[in-house]
């Protein structure tokens, strides 16, 4: 780690003005940022903690929308979203280990947009809206490739609005070392149609498997995707899996997610 | 009724109180007044020529006290390999110099070429970044087959074929083995890789050196499994510090698995820096540093052939192995792939003819050395995999083929064709126990249940043997060892009757403090709580060789028994004098010295006190005091053995393997603490599952370690492991040590990998996939690719 200053404001406004300084950076759960700092891969001059800001915390349901504030931890989501949106709560409850879940937050995860992170799949499959200090961004516009989002410099994720689906399931196949998804699929069925989002597979980060969505829109059963195949082109390849393997997993996991969503 | 203390009792591990309550004292916990910190500049390339290193900017950085490069250590000796291996052609192995800091060339990613000492860790690290090293990158020597074939690219310029040794075991048997293959009715051939592993002890390495300018004494606190060995290496080979001027202290050590046997350059740097600055110098290894600087394990590429008749009787076995040694020879690196591997190639079988060829190969990777099991897992994996394949080829039951080839219980002592004499064993007994506890008869119905869930179930076996209790010094001396492998103990009875046992063994998780106390308690009839086990400090303990190779109880424990025997003998003399009886009439039982046939009796405590207050004492024939030492050099190795059964489920959709049942029936001879033995087996089995399914160090074509953190180096977790059924009720006590013990620390890591892989192959073949072999680790993607390949081939 290099030396840095640390502030922990109690309001969003204070945080934003602290962040306006050169080389200042937001820190939420620190579960991604701190390992990066420890390896001396980043050199912020000041870290602005978001975890002391009351308005950035909490889970609430209004009508058919579940809203999670930006600095809400995975552990809190796992508990408090369980009734309204069980598939999402289950996703949160399977991120990392208890200590990661006690600290890591949804805003940090979505801002980071790791190509193997869990939350991006849920946000994209749910057609969620990412709320920031300046605007609202539909998930379809928000994710823009590996570690890249629509967020501007210094823009803060203050919350995420999830439309609650009729049925949903998150099928996570873990990479044996990191226990992040090697590939994972979030399937959500709405009256308006089925959305299938895939994380851990593509070189461009989280994506929607539109062919699968179409087939499942017509017939929400595992058989609906059995005749399809996923193109390995553009899939990630590393020691944990070839592009072909990941493409294969997209289909297998989608079918399993649908089976599980159907109960 | 199970005993509640002494030999055979599951006494609770006394060390756990401090470990579990945060009161352990590890090297990193020790802080000395005025201490400063060192950080290392490590090579980012696998192979490169050092043109220049400019440290001037670093030296000017805030807080910087000293900067070292390889140049500062050229006068020092080389960190040696502990065994000289003689090649087939009679030449001695090639031993390149292993410098404290890289000099001339860097030879692996992580090779340290400079060190900065500063007031704080952060300052030292900042200054490391300011070092300007002009290192010209060279092609990395990585793949062993091409390393030995192409002598244009050399890890060490003076070694043209990158070969350290080309070892034949036993060379004189080679012709007979080849002839047996010529005429054999059946030959099974298997090519396999024993995957490179990173040891991953929970506590990373750490060292703290202190130098007293007044006395010129050095103290080195370091993460060591064998403090005297460290001192010897540093004194006699590397730094030339007189042995009596160097104290090495290995305090609590959080696991080693072999990686902390060795002396590393970082230890010499902290000592040299402490001397230069007159201030204590500390280094605590980062986890990322550990991945590229701790000695790795395994990394063999092997072709094994098994010749049999049509009924599956073994006629001969032949193997060719390329053993990766990495860039430099670590201390045990030449013994591990040779004498700790080749001599085990008979397994528990009566194969009459065996020949082993091993080439030790230098590559631009981290040095490879002994890692839990050390050579024996490599041997066992080959043997048990080729037998599995042979049985499939011949259509013979997997249990049957093993049983029919076992050395029979009445054949001991049994001389193997690879140079060992097994003193005792009963391999059929552990196999029967495994069959019983693993309910192998019920397997088919379990397979049907898995099948109903869409899973492919398989069962795999491994009947293994190892040589522990290293080692008879005269034997290893003939084989090239440069040290003896006895051990030593001192039993000091204090005036008030409690006891300090000073041992050459080092406990880094095993539980010696509990087990050794149980032994002494049993022998002297005094409570375990009155016995303290002292280890890890060369200024206190006698010269012992430390803990590795499952030797602590068999060798160091025996030294303790011998010293305790001397205590008892002396006490008898004192008792005879005090009770005016003949020494031969004194009986020692339950902590009391009694004159046989009388009610005259003295307690151990009374005798001990009188040794220190010798008022009524035979001073003319006996020295006062009660303290005895013993050195013990074992007459033979010990030979633990066992039978393992593993059941797996394979998910055909993803290729993921789950271990769903595991049974280990072991013969460790006599057992002192059953609970600790079970814990050791649990740990070993999980490490074995780790090797089989998860762990591997991967390099890219440039020699970068792609598995340099836990994001990519997969460790097994508790939820990857089923409830393990472990048993040690089959006991053929070792015939040549007084406790009759054999050692249990490495068993699980040795016996497990082939059982797991055999089970996966069984599952796949039963599922209709024609797959003969998959190299470890059997990750989901590899298993899936093999299945997809087999499917395609079938179509
Ligand atoms: C051992 C381990 C296992 C893990 N396993 C998983 C897993 O299985 N699945 C998974 O999805 N993740 C996993 N993670 C990552 C974890 O979910 C992180 O918590 C998350 O990715 C980042 O959230 P954070 O709150 O910790 O963010 P931080 O680390 O604090 O910040 C990450 C980045 O986001 C920025 N940032 C933080 N909050 C905001 C905000 N509100 N608005 C804008 N920018 C912001 C920061 O400036 C920084 O650049 C794991 C992490 C660890 C350490």
């Amino acid at each position: 780690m290099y030396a840095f200053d640390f502030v922990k404001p109690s309001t969003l406004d204070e945080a934003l003005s602290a962040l306006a300084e050169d080389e200042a950076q937001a820190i939420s759960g620190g579960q991604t940022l701190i390992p990066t700092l420890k390896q001396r891969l980043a050199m912020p001059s000041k870290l602005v903690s978001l975890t002391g800001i009351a308005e950035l915390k909490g889970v609430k349901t209004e009508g058919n929308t579940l809203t999670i504030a930006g600095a809400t931890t995975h552990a809190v989501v796992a508990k408090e979203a369980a009734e309204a949106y069980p598939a999402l709560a289950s996703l949160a409850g399977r991120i990392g280990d208890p200590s990661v879940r006690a600290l890591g937050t949804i805003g940090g995860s979505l801002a980071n947009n790791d190509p193997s992170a869990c939350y991006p799949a849920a946000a994209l499959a749910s057609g969620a809206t990412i709320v920031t200090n300046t605007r609202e961004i539909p998930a379809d516009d928000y994710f823009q490739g590996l570690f890249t989002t629509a967020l501007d410099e210094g823009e803060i994720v203050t919350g995420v609005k999830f439309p609650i689906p009729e049925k949903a399931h998150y099928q996570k196949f873990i990479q044996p070392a990191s226990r992040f998804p090697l590939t994972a699929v979030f399937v959500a069925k709405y009256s308006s149609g089925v959305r299938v989002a895939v994380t851990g597979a593509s070189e461009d980060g989280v994506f929607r498997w539109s062919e699968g969505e179409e087939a499942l829109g017509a017939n929400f059963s595992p058989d609906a995707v059995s005749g399809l195949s996923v193109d390995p082109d553009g899939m990630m390849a590393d020691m944990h899996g070839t592009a072909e393997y990941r493409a294969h997993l997209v289909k297998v996991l989608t079918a399993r997610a649908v089976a599980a969503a159907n109960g | 009724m199970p005993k509640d203390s002494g030999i055979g009792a599951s006494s609770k591990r006394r060390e756990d109180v401090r470990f579990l309550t945060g009161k352990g004292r590890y090297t990193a916990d020790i802080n000395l007044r005025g201490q400063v910190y060192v950080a290392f500049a490590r090579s980012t390339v696998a192979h490169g020529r050092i043109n220049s290193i400019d440290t001037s900017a670093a030296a000017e950085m805030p807080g910087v006290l000293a900067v070292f490069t390889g140049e500062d250590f050229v006068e020092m000796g080389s960190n040696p390999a502990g065994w000289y291996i003689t090649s087939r052609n009679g030449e001695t192995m090639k031993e390149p110099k292993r410098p404290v800091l890289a000099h001339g060339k860097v030879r692996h990613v992580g090779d340290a070429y400079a060190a900065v000492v500063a007031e704080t860790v952060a300052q030292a690290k900042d200054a490391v970044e300011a070092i300007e090293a002009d290192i010209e990158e060279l092609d990395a020597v990585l793949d062993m087959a091409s390393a030995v074939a192409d002598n244009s690219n050399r890890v060490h310029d003076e070694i043209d074929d990158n070969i350290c040794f080309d070892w034949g075991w036993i060379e004189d048997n080679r012709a007979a083995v080849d002839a047996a293959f010529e005429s054999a009715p059946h030959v099974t051939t298997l090519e396999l890789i024993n995957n490179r592993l990173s040891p991953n002890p929970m506590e990373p390495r750490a060292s703290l050196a202190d130098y007293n300018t007044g006395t010129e004494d050095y103290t080195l606190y370091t993460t060591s499994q064998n403090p005297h060995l460290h001192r010897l290496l540093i004194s006699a080979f590397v730094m030339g510090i007189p042995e009596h001027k160097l104290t090495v202290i290995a305090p609590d050590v959080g696991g080693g698995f072999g990686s902390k046997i060795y002396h590393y350059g970082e230890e010499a740097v902290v000592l040299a820096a402490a001397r230069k600055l007159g201030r204590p110098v500390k280094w605590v290894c980062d986890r990322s540093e550990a991945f590229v600087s701790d000695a790795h394990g395994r990394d063999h590429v092997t072709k094994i052939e098994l010749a049999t008749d049509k009924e599956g009787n073994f006629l001969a076995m032949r193997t060719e192995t390329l053993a990766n040694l990495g860039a430099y020879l670590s201390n045990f690196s030449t013994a591990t792939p040779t004498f700790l591997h080749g001599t085990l190639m008979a397994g528990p079988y009566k194969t009459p003819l065996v020949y082993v060829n091993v080439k030790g190969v230098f590559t631009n990777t981290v040095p490879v050395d002994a890692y839990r099991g050390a050579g024996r897992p490599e041997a066992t994996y080959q043997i048990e995999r080729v037998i599995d394949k042979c049985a499939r080829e011949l259509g013979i039951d997997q249990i049957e083929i093993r049983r029919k080839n076992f050395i029979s219980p009445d054949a001991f002592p049994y001389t193997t064709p690879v140079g060992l004499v097994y003193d005792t064993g009963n391999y059929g007994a552990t196999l029967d126990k495994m069959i019983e506890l693993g309910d192998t008869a019920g397997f088919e119905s379990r397979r049907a249940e898995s099948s109903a869930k869409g899973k492919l179930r398989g069962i795999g076996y491994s009947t293994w043997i190892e040589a522990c209790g290293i080692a008879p010094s005269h034997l290893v001396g003939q084989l090239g060892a440069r040290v003896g492998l006895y051990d030593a103990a001192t039993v000091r009875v204090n005036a008030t009757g409690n006891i300090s046992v000073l041992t050459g063994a080092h406990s880094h998780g095993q539980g010696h403090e509990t087990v050794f106390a149980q032994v002494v308690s049993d022998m002297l009839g005094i409570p375990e709580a009155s016995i303290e086990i002292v280890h890890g400090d060369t200024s206190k303990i006698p010269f012992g060789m430390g803990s590795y190779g499952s030797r602590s109880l068999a060798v160091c424990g025996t030294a303790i028994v011998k010293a305790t025997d001397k205590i008892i003998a002396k006490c008898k003399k004192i008792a005879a004098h005090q009770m005016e009886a003949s020494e031969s009439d004194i009986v020692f039982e339950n902590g009391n010295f009694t004159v046989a046939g009388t009610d005259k009796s003295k307690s151990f405590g009374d005798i001990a006190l009188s040794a220190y207050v010798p008022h009524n004492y035979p001073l003319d024939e006996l020295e006062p005091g009660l303290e005895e030492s013993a050195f013990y050099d074992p007459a033979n190795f010990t030979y633990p053995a066992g039978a393992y059964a593993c059941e797996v489920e394979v998910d055909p959709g993803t290729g993921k393997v789950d271990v769903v049942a595991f049974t280990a029936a072991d013969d460790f001879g006599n057992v002192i603490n059953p609970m600790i033995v079970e814990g050791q087996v649990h740990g070993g089995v999980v490490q074995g599952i780790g090797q089989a399914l998860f762990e591997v160090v991967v390099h890219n074509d440039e020699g970068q370690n792609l598995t340099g953190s836990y994001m990519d180096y997969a460790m097994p977790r508790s939820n990857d492991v089923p409830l393990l059924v472990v048993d040690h009720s089959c006991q053929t006590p070792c015939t040549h040590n007084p406790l009759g013990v054999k050692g249990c620390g490495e068993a699980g890591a040795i016996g497990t990998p082939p059982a797991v892989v055999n089970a996966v192959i069984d599952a796949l073949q039963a599922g209709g996939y024609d797959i003969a072999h998959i190299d470890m680790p059997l990750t989901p993607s590899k298993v899936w690719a093999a299945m997809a390949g087999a499917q395609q081939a079938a179509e």
Side-chain angles (χ1 to χ4, degrees), chain A residues 25-26 28-33 74 96 104-105 111 117-118 157 172 179-180:
Chain A
Q25 186 174 0
S28 192
Q31 296 303 290
T32 296
L33 187 52
H74 309 327
T105 66
C118 297
V157 175
K172 178 180 182 182
R179 312 267 156 152
F180 273 66

Side-chain angles (χ1 to χ4, degrees), chain B residues 39-64:
Chain B
F40 291 91
R42 296 185 182 275
S43 179
T44 55
V45 299
H47 194 191
R49 199 165 298 285
I50 302 174
N51 290 331
S52 64
I53 300 175
D54 182 351
T55 60
S56 53
E60 297 303 313
M61 299 276 289
V64 171

Side-chain angles (χ1 to χ4, degrees), chain B residues 14-26 29 252:
Chain B
R14 55 170 68 172
E15 42 272 89
D16 285 348
V17 177
R18 69 175 189 277
F19 294 156
L20 296 177
T21 57
K23 302 295 180 198
R25 188 160 168 270
Y26 298 87
D29 296 326
D252 283 330

Side-chain angles (χ1 to χ4, degrees), chain B residues 716-753:
Chain B
R717 323 264 172 123
S718 57
N719 61 353
D720 297 316
V721 181
L723 193 67
L724 304 172
V725 178
V726 304
D727 177 88
H728 44 77
S729 64
C730 300
Q731 300 179 351
T732 59
C734 171
T735 58
H736 54 84
N737 66 47
L739 292 169
V741 296
K742 298 182 175 181
C744 67
E746 295 160 294
I750 293 168
T752 299

Side-chain angles (χ1 to χ4, degrees), chain A residues 54-248:
Chain A
E55 60 196 284
L56 289 184
K57 293 191 152 180
V59 177
K60 64 173 193 278
T61 315
E62 280 165 333
N64 231 12
T65 303
L66 176 82
T67 304
I68 301 174
T72 309
T73 64
H74 309 327
V76 167
V77 175
K79 203 161 134 227
E80 295 185 8
E83 207 161 305
Y85 196 165
L88 183 67
S90 156
L91 172 149
R94 285 182 280 157
I95 293 175
D97 51 42
S99 117
V100 170
R101 294 194 289 275
L103 292 162
T105 66
I106 189 169
S109 178
L110 292 176
N112 194 47
N113 192 21
D114 185 304
S116 299
C118 297
Y119 268 125
L124 191 58
S126 307
T129 302
I130 318 300
V131 184
T132 77
N133 55 311
T134 58
R135 57 187 168 143
E136 298 204 343
I137 312 170
D140 283 317
D141 301 333
Y142 177 84
F143 300 104
Q144 301 190 346
L146 299 194
F147 299 103
T148 313
T149 67
L151 291 178
D152 290 329
E153 193 70 31
E155 192 174 357
I156 289 296
V157 175
T158 55
V160 189
K161 294 186 200 162
F162 291 91
I164 297 171
E166 294 166 4
K167 292 176 174 179
H169 187 79
Y170 179 57
Q171 194 73 23
K172 178 180 182 182
F173 189 76
I174 59 169
Q175 192 258 57
S178 70
R179 312 267 156 152
F180 273 66
L182 196 157
T183 291
V185 174
F186 199 108
V187 171
K189 181 176 185 298
Y190 292 89
S191 55
S192 54
V194 175
R195 292 172 66 107
V196 178
V198 180
T199 185
S202 165
E203 287 177 332
D204 295 327
V206 67
F207 70 98
R208 286 171 65 186
W209 184 30
S210 40
E211 219 186 334
E213 290 183 351
E214 230 165 87
L216 290 167
N219 171 19
F220 195 70
S221 97
D223 300 338
V225 296
S226 64
L228 305 181
S229 68
V230 178
D231 189 355
D233 218 34
M235 292 289 171
M236 291 193 274
D238 57 24
M239 77 187 88
H240 303 292
T242 56
E244 290 72 23
Y245 183 55
R246 284 186 162 88
H248 167 81

